[in-house]
Amino acid sequence: MKSLLTPLLLIAFSLLATSATYAETANTRVQIHTGQAPALDQGQSQAQSKSKQITLNYASAVRTEQVLKDAQLQIAKHSLLTTPVYWLQAAIFTQPLEQEKSALLALIAEKQSEFDITDERYIALSTLHQFISSSHFAKRAALELDYDQTRITSSANPLLSGELTLQLPARSEQVWVLGAVTEAGAIKWQQRQSTAEYLEQAKAISAAENDTAVVIQPDSKIQTHPIAYWNERHHDIAPGAIIYLPFTGGWLAPLDNLGFDASGFNEINQAVVSLLRERVL
């Protein structure tokens, strides 16, 4: 009997050990991210820009509902948020976009080299470069996150797998204004305040688009808002949105053979907007 029990015990211990190893070697890893503010002041310390993070590990693909449930439990357990999750800005991100970020930074730096360091375009581009440099970007999954919806709608509850970042922030009380302005940065969000009113506070430079501005809403939707007195119409801006005022070549800008601005800012404007919608808080 003793000789029989010993192998059985060894097998049991072996199975337990294998099970523990399998649980630790998860193929779905979700990093919970509650948000942080990018630095526009070079003197800002790294400690000020960091946010608390916790990682969830799963042994296989897992439903979105389960991930959101586990994440909210961890947020409550570790007191990561003091207010409810702002679901409009909740998101799942996959692979980092470091190559796209580097390409945009190089593009901005190249454009800066065309101007004197005292030129308003150089200064505005420098501020934009700093914002992009201090921000993190990753591919945003095309999935609107809402915990209640995941429980009742199958299409809102897909399987998740791989290395993921789950962004579950509190609601921001700010709107970011970037681009062709002299005072880029965060401005306090005001209900029913228009894009043009935010831009008045940020002070557009002379080489700025004066017809329309681009708004990246917290859910990554891109909108074009008219801002001139002859075409302005009200569009709501949600807390946490980014307003980007495009650069132009100004009145003396060279024109291409079709009569369009050929100053070279279009490529920067398009690349900035495309990357900003993939920004991780």
Side-chain angles (χ1 to χ4, degrees), residues 31-37 46-55 71 74-82 165-169 281:
Q31 186 178 72
I32 304 170
H33 190 70
T34 54
Q36 65 185 42
Q46 290 295 321
Q48 287 178 303
S49 64
K50 288 183 179 178
S51 64
K52 298 176 182 177
Q53 295 175 349
I54 290 176
T55 299
Q74 290 298 317
I75 287 172
K77 178 180 177 180
H78 296 278
S79 302
L80 300 186
L81 294 177
T82 57
T165 296
L166 172 62
Q167 177 174 284
L168 293 179
L281 295 180

Side-chain angles (χ1 to χ4, degrees), residues 30 32 56 58 62-76 85 87 90-92 143-151 156-158 160 165-169:
V30 183
I32 304 170
L56 303 173
Y58 301 93
V62 59
R63 290 287 174 187
T64 305
E65 177 192 357
Q66 186 64 53
V67 172
L68 295 182
K69 179 180 179 181
D70 293 343
Q72 290 181 93
L73 289 172
Q74 290 298 317
I75 287 172
V85 170
W87 289 104
I92 290 175
L143 177 65
E144 294 184 7
L145 294 182
D146 184 311
Y147 180 59
D148 292 333
Q149 284 298 315
T150 63
R151 301 168 66 185
N157 190 29
L160 303 175
T165 296
L166 172 62
Q167 177 174 284
L168 293 179

Side-chain angles (χ1 to χ4, degrees), residues 2-147:
K2 183 177 179 181
S3 60
L4 180 61
L5 284 175
T6 300
L8 287 174
L9 286 171
L10 289 173
I11 292 171
F13 283 128
S14 176
L15 288 172
L16 286 172
T18 302
S19 176
T21 302
Y22 179 70
E24 291 172 3
T25 312
N27 67 1
T28 301
R29 185 172 179 270
V30 183
Q31 186 178 72
I32 304 170
H33 190 70
T34 54
Q36 65 185 42
L40 281 178
D41 177 6
Q42 292 187 3
Q44 181 177 348
S45 69
Q46 290 295 321
Q48 287 178 303
S49 64
K50 288 183 179 178
S51 64
K52 298 176 182 177
Q53 295 175 349
I54 290 176
T55 299
L56 303 173
N57 291 292
Y58 301 93
S60 59
V62 59
R63 290 287 174 187
T64 305
E65 177 192 357
Q66 186 64 53
V67 172
L68 295 182
K69 179 180 179 181
D70 293 343
Q72 290 181 93
L73 289 172
Q74 290 298 317
I75 287 172
K77 178 180 177 180
H78 296 278
S79 302
L80 300 186
L81 294 177
T82 57
T83 58
V85 170
Y86 184 38
W87 289 104
L88 188 63
Q89 207 160 21
I92 290 175
F93 296 92
T94 55
Q95 71 270 21
L97 298 176
E98 289 302 318
Q99 186 174 349
E100 290 82 354
K101 175 180 175 178
S102 296
L104 176 56
L105 290 173
L107 197 62
I108 295 172
E110 181 182 2
K111 194 63 181 174
Q112 277 183 274
S113 67
E114 298 178 13
F115 310 111
D116 184 84
I117 60 173
T118 60
D119 190 294
E120 62 178 1
R121 291 164 293 184
Y122 181 97
I123 296 170
L125 285 167
S126 178
T127 304
L128 179 62
H129 189 283
Q130 187 178 342
F131 182 91
I132 299 296
S133 179
S134 63
S135 296
H136 177 57
F137 304 93
K139 186 64 179 175
R140 184 169 181 153
L143 177 65
E144 294 184 7
L145 294 182
D146 184 311
Y147 180 59

